Structures are given as structure tokens and as C-alpha cells.
């Protein structure tokens, strides 16, 4: 198992760039990523040394009040990506290209990527799909914009895939490897593997020169990514099995809100220390 870097060593990188993803692959230093959709969470994650922040279209479920990521638009994500990119000093910020903003053609994909880069200050874009998205990735990369690919379970194709189903099992493993090689060949600097068996993720990681970022892909990848509201115990609804909850933010906030409500009701808030004379 490669040695993990200490937080002090991690902090030495002043600004994470695509070359640090490649260095991580080569040295075995694991990459850490979280989603972020706002200024305050971005500041906290950045100061804690998280390497990259994904302004994911999971904002659909976690910010915008949708049941899936499908209704999310570029206009929805632009202000969120701008807030995150404006908040960080060190972390690499990746803006997610939402459903309907790149599938039609490589031209459409490039236009969307350019919008994110011009209007938000993000450092890269992410899009879903392997072989089927390779031409779009190539066009964006040729324009000088780094692309993070996303294969395995791709939430924007949830209905086509028949629900939240693990990908890359059995015969699906060959398709996963083909997708991974296609996005590498197209110029992606990293690839997210979502909800795939650990053995398949290991095989892909060994086959690729670019780093793999696992979200529900087991330990044998080059980095990990989690949706922040899941990892912090803030989300409602179904939390995937692969998520470890590192905090109970929902519980902590509920306790605080109940106490505030009671203290307003019994007039113990505001106290004299909170009042202007
Ligand atoms: O939008 C998102 O949060 C994502 C990750 C789950 C990979 O795409």
C-alpha cells in the first residue's frame, strides 16, 4: 500500500493543479475530493486540505429541491460554481456539466465548458459517459480546458440504466474498462468511477495512466470523492451503502434550532449581552 501524505505535506501544494493529480497517481498519494455548492462549505473543505471540490449536479437533490439531477441546468450551477471557486485558495474546483448541456455534439459540449470557465472561475469541468462522450471530452481538452470524466453509475442516465444499479459487474466489467480507456485516450486528466465493484475499480486503476477517483468503488483507486451532505450527515433520504457518515450535522442543527425556538419562547434569548444599550 503506498504511503499516505501527512496533512502538513499536503498543505505544501499552494494551488492544486492537474499535474498534482498525475503526481498523485505516480507517487501513490491519495487524492481527496468532496462536493461543495456554496462559499462556506468550500472554505471549510479548502482550509482542511481537501484537494478538489466538485460543484456537482447533485446540487439538484441537495440544494435545488429536485428528486434527481435531471432537471438541473447550467444556469442553476453557474452561481454555485462561482461561489465555490471564489472561496478557495488551494483546492482544484471542478464544475459539473448538467444533463442536456453536452450530449448533442462536441460543439455543444465545448460551449457549455467555456461558459463554466468564463463565468465561474472553476478550473475544470466534469461530464458523464465513457465511449459515448469521448468526442466531447477531446473537443473540450483541445480547447485547453481540463476534463474529469465520470463512468460506472452515471446518475444522469439513471432511467436508462434502470435505477441506482451497480455498474461494471460480470460482463459489464469489459464495458467499464473500455469506457475508462476511451476517456483516457480522449484526454481526460482523471476519471470518476461511481458505484462499481472494488475488483473492477482495481482493474481499471491498474490499466490507466490517469488517476481514478472512486465514489463507491472500494479502496484500490487513486482518490476518493463523497457528496458532502451525505458524509456530514446532513442529507435526508437514502444514503448509499458506500458512504461513511463522519458527522451528524442534521442532528446538531436540529438541536440548535429547537433550543433557539425554546429560548425565544421563554424570553431567555436575547439576553442582556445581546442587546444594544
Ligand atoms: O454530482 C455529483 O455529486 C457527482 C458525484 C456523485 C460523482 O457527480
Amino acid at each position: 500500500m503506498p504511503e499516505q501524505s501527512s496533512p502538513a505535506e499536503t498543505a505544501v501544494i499552494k494551488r492544486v493543479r492537474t499535474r498534482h493529480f498525475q503526481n498523485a497517481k505516480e507517487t501513490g498519494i491519495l487524492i481527496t475530493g468532496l462536493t461543495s455548492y456554496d462559499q462556506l462549505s468550500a472554505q471549510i473543505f479548502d482550509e482542511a486540505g481537501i484537494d478538489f471540490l466538485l460543484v456537482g449536479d447533485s446540487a439538484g437533490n441537495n440544494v435545488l429541491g429536485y428528486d434527481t439531477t435531471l432537471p438541473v441546468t447550467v444556469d442553476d450551477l453557474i452561481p454555485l460554481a462561482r461561489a465555490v471557486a471564489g472561496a478557495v485558495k488551494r483546492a482544484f474546483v471542478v464544475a459539473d456539466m448538467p444533463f442536456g448541456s453536452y450530449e448533442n455534439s462536441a460543439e455543444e459540449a465545448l460551449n457549455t465548458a467555456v461558459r463554466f470557465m468564463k463565468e465561474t472561475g472553476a478550473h475544470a469541468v466534469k461530464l458523464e459517459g465513457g465511449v459515448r462522450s469521448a468526442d466531447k471530452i477531446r473537443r473540450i481538452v483541445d480547447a485547453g480546458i481540463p476534463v474529469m470524466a465520470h463512468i460506472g453509475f452515471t446518475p444522469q442516465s439513471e432511467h436508462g440504466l434502470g435505477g441506482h444499479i451497480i455498474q461494471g459487474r460480470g460482463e459489464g466489467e469489459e464495458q467499464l474498462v473500455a469506457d475508462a480507456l476511451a476517456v483516457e485516450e480522449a484526454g481526460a486528466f482523471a476519471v470518476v468511477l461511481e458505484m462499481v465493484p472494488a475488483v473492477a475499480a482495481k482493474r481499471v486503476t491498474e490499466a490507466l495512466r490517469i488517476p481514478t477517483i472512486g465514489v463507491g468503488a472500494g479502496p484500490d483507486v487513486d482518490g476518493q470523492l463523497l457528496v458532502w451532505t451525505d458524509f456530514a450527515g446532513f442529507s435526508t433520504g437514502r444514503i448509499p451503502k458506500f458512504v461513511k457518515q463522519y458527522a451528524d450535522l442534521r442532528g446538531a442543527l436540529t438541536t440548535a434550532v429547537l433550543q433557539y425556538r425554546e429560548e425565544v419562547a421563554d424570553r431567555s434569548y436575547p439576553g442582556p449581552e445581546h442587546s444594544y444599550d
Side-chain angles (χ1 to χ4, degrees):
M1 199 61 187
E3 232 174 70
Q4 177 61 293
S5 62
S6 70
E9 284 164 334
T10 306
V12 169
I13 300 174
K14 286 207 166 66
R15 167 66 85 182
V16 179
R17 307 261 181 198
T18 53
R19 69 172 178 278
H20 296 117
F21 284 76
Q22 195 53 45
N23 289 348
K25 173 91 184 180
E26 284 155 20
T27 59
I29 294 171
L30 297 178
I31 300 159
T32 52
L34 283 173
T35 66
S36 176
Y37 318 106
D38 67 277
Q39 181 190 36
L40 299 182
S41 69
Q43 276 168 354
I44 294 170
F45 305 154
D46 185 46
E47 284 166 15
I50 294 296
D51 297 311
F52 78 98
L53 301 184
L54 170 66
V55 186
D57 62 358
S58 51
N61 312 69
N62 295 314
V63 177
L64 301 168
Y66 304 134
D67 286 339
T68 70
T69 61
L70 297 183
V72 176
T73 65
V74 174
D75 287 338
D76 284 334
L77 289 188
I78 291 237
L80 310 188
R82 191 183 294 129
V84 171
V88 302
K89 292 194 167 66
R90 174 186 176 279
F92 189 83
V93 176
V94 181
D96 214 359
M97 309 236 295
F99 178 62
S101 72
Y102 61 92
E103 295 87 343
N104 278 319
S105 64
E107 262 67 38
E108 183 186 51
L110 178 58
N111 289 341
T112 301
V114 167
R115 266 201 79 189
F116 275 114
M117 301 303 283
K118 270 189 179 304
E119 297 180 36
T120 73
H123 309 121
V125 295
K126 176 172 87 55
L127 55 82
E128 297 186 2
V131 173
R132 70 178 162 93
S133 294
D135 61 324
K136 285 96 182 171
I137 294 173
R138 169 52 61 202
R139 182 64 66 91
I140 299 169
V141 170
D142 281 350
I145 301 171
V147 176
M148 178 177 275
H150 180 170
I151 61 173
F153 176 69
T154 45
Q156 294 172 11
S157 318
E158 161 181 348
H159 300 299
L161 295 172
H164 283 247
I165 294 173
I166 295 162
Q167 302 295 306
R169 269 204 173 126
E171 286 173 12
E173 190 172 314
E174 296 313 315
Q175 182 62 50
L176 187 73
V177 173
D179 282 335
L181 292 172
V183 300
E184 174 175 275
E185 175 62 27
F189 73 93
V191 55
V192 172
L193 306 179
E194 181 165 354
M195 266 173 56
V196 299
V199 283
K202 184 170 191 286
R203 184 174 156 201
V204 169
T205 300
E206 286 169 357
L208 293 191
R209 294 183 308 274
I210 59 171
T212 55
I213 308 293
V215 47
D220 296 314
V221 285
D222 301 307
Q224 298 286 342
L225 167 66
L226 284 175
V227 170
W228 93 260
T229 46
D230 291 346
F231 111 104
F234 202 25
S235 303
T236 49
R238 196 180 60 88
I239 305 296
K241 172 188 164 174
F242 62 79
V243 174
K244 175 171 173 184
Q245 278 186 232
Y246 284 83
D248 177 20
L249 240 55
R250 199 171 184 83
L253 199 54
T254 302
T255 305
V257 167
L258 289 173
Q259 186 179 347
Y260 167 64
R261 207 190 67 183
E262 273 170 30
E263 290 187 5
V264 169
D266 70 15
R267 296 180 182 276
S268 54
Y269 176 80
E273 71 277 27
H274 306 117
S275 305
Y276 298 108
D277 290 324

